[in-house]
Amino acid sequence: MLANCQHELTLEEESPVQDAPIRAVVIGAGIGGLAAALRLAHAGLAVTVIDAAPTVGGKMRTRDSVAGPVDIGPTVMTLKGEFETLFADVGARLSDHVTLIPDTILARHFWRDGSVLDLHRDPARNAEAIGALAGANAAKQFARFCDRAARLFAAFEGPMMQAPSPRLAGLVAHVLKNPTIIPAMAPGFSLAASLARQFSDPRLRQLFGRYATYVGGSPYDSPAVLGLIWQSEASGVWRVQGGMHKLALAMQDLALTRGAAFRLGTRAIRIEQQDGRVIAVHLDDGTRLSADLVVFNGDPKALVDGHLGAGPMNAVPRKAVAARSLSAFVWGFAAEPVGVELAHHNVFFCDDPAQEFRDLAAGRMPSDGTLYVCAQDRGGAPPTGPERFEIILNGPPGHPSTLEDAYTCRTRTFETLTKMGLRFSPTPQVSALHMPGDFDRDFPASDGSLYGLSPHGMMASFQRPTARTAIKGLYLAGGGAHPGAGIPMACLSGKHAAAAILSDLASTSMSRPTATHGGMSTGSAMTGSARSPSSAS
């Protein structure tokens, strides 16, 4: 006992926050949770990260194959500056931990009429390619679209994405100071309607309308301002050498060096409160982790639906989680491709995008949907033998996802690609498919939604929950929280959560509450284990 007490005293003396390290439990080891954990551990808090999965990354995960691990989550990194900032803020360099490879071809696009379009890192090549596809007028329309997207991104980055808690009044004031941005916003127009005014070629309308799906929406119901997503991609797309999951592992490794502990393969089942603030997290193995604060890196709907106990059900308003964004049918496999030449990122467009999104709105698997194909071994030296692939078909949230659905998806996916000139040998079996129902199982209360709150409607961005909740000591991070979906936004959510926590600690001079559990004081019981990775196994 004396040795334990001496160990805890040493740890407390090392903390720059206060004499006794504040105990932070992060539920969920997705990118948002990892970013928050890394920042908090660097600030001297005693951080323990919990996740039900056996490894970190959340939706950034892999599936085994004969060609090696296949990414079956995010495959596109944009806005890498958010990760460079994260690593720099904790005294490290991103380039020392992962190798990023810039894609010279942002994506290759295929249509049913046989036309193909590459979008490039080089803007001049884009103008040339679009001119070759659709004519000189289309190239001029594209140049105006790029200018509009750049101005929208510049206008919204500060008051929306970077703001910890965006307010409509603040955005209005910003716009009124820059009134020339109003036409670019196209208020009252959907993204599809706005693109119909900007492009005469339906293929380009379909291409840039697809960016609504990046945040889980339909171009027919999402606001026109989502056209700014093109700017984030035009600014650069990177691959992570060894696969996207390497980024999550690098964040975990760095957090460990800063003193964070990880308990993986263990599910959090209840957040305990006392006197209106969190005091502990209960795990499915019977463990009770004392906590001065908790960061929840899961779908906020899980709190509202009572998956973490009755206490946090009012942590966020139900309207902040009620409307669900899209889900997906995701294939992850290795095979040898035959037919069309693939880039790293490829999009095979459906014949009628309006029908695709009508099917999704009705809760159906698209009868004919656009397919994203990530050829994970393309972009460098020509691969030989089986290659790793991820294929994504948009799916509706809440889809029941039966075995019959899996076979239907297999038929629709690979027959469509065959008709468009791409075949795989062998054709994947349904065991390589992850459906909306599987995502709902893996990410409780999500309804299979991959992006949290739906982006539909002009006010959606202001309804998304921010880092602070209505419960003292409970904070949010991840794609379900502000600023939303995508790995750079999830990273930024972790920054917002950590900043809110450190600000609250500084403003309240928070001292560790000593709670009682079963007649025993638990005020300092977790200090040593929370700081020691080995003790969290």
Side-chain angles (χ1 to χ4, degrees), residues 263-483:
R263 298 184 65 135
L264 304 176
T266 307
R267 186 180 298 276
I269 59 173
R270 183 164 72 91
I271 297 173
E272 182 183 351
Q273 298 178 63
Q274 179 177 292
D275 298 328
R277 74 169 304 121
V278 301
I279 62 168
V281 174
H282 293 254
L283 309 182
D284 61 359
D285 63 3
T287 302
R288 177 184 183 273
L289 295 179
S290 297
D292 300 310
L293 59 93
V294 173
V295 178
F296 183 67
N297 175 215
D299 195 309
K301 187 170 179 287
L303 298 173
V304 176
D305 286 357
H307 284 253
L308 278 299
M313 291 179 67
N314 295 318
V316 299
R318 181 164 287 276
K319 68 178 181 179
V321 299
R324 300 275 82 193
S325 61
L326 293 178
S327 187
F329 297 85
V330 179
W331 296 89
F333 62 95
E336 293 191 44
V338 179
V340 298
E341 184 66 25
L342 297 170
H344 189 80
H345 304 288
N346 309 271
V347 182
F348 291 79
F349 284 112
C350 66
D351 191 51
D352 182 359
Q355 183 58 51
E356 175 185 19
F357 288 100
R358 280 194 294 269
D359 284 344
L360 291 168
R364 299 188 296 264
M365 181 195 311
S367 56
D368 176 22
T370 291
L371 296 166
Y372 165 73
V373 178
C374 181
Q376 296 176 24
D377 296 302
R378 297 295 175 108
T384 58
E387 301 177 40
R388 297 169 297 167
F389 291 93
E390 178 182 35
I391 300 178
I392 300 177
L393 169 69
N394 287 321
H399 191 276
S401 303
T402 64
L403 183 60
E404 181 181 357
D405 293 320
Y407 282 103
T408 298
C409 184
R410 183 175 187 261
T411 298
R412 292 180 182 177
T413 298
F414 296 102
E415 283 189 357
T416 293
L417 292 174
T418 297
K419 290 176 182 177
M420 297 184 75
L422 176 63
R423 292 181 291 108
F424 294 98
S425 178
T427 301
Q429 299 300 312
V430 294
S431 58
L433 176 64
H434 217 72
M435 297 188 288
D438 301 315
F439 286 110
D440 184 49
R441 178 200 64 216
D442 295 343
F443 304 100
S446 68
D447 297 329
S449 168
L450 299 182
Y451 313 92
L453 184 70
S454 167
H456 295 167
M458 289 296 294
M459 298 303 295
S461 295
F462 299 99
Q463 293 172 344
R464 191 177 290 274
T466 55
R468 290 185 177 90
T469 73
I471 296 174
K472 292 181 180 179
L474 177 59
Y475 301 83
L476 301 180
H482 170 73

Side-chain angles (χ1 to χ4, degrees), residues 64-68 70 333-335 386-388:
D64 290 335
S65 80
V66 295
V70 183
F333 62 95
E387 301 177 40
R388 297 169 297 167

Side-chain angles (χ1 to χ4, degrees), residues 155-156 159 168-182 185:
F156 277 74
L168 180 60
L171 179 62
V172 170
H174 180 80
V175 170
L176 291 177
K177 291 179 182 178
N178 303 273
T180 58
I181 198 66
I182 295 176
M185 293 172 60

Side-chain angles (χ1 to χ4, degrees), residues 148-178:
R148 180 187 295 242
R151 288 189 291 120
L152 284 172
F153 190 91
F156 277 74
E157 183 181 22
M160 291 298 295
M161 290 178 276
Q162 297 291 340
S165 183
R167 295 287 182 264
L168 180 60
L171 179 62
V172 170
H174 180 80
V175 170
L176 291 177
K177 291 179 182 178
N178 303 273

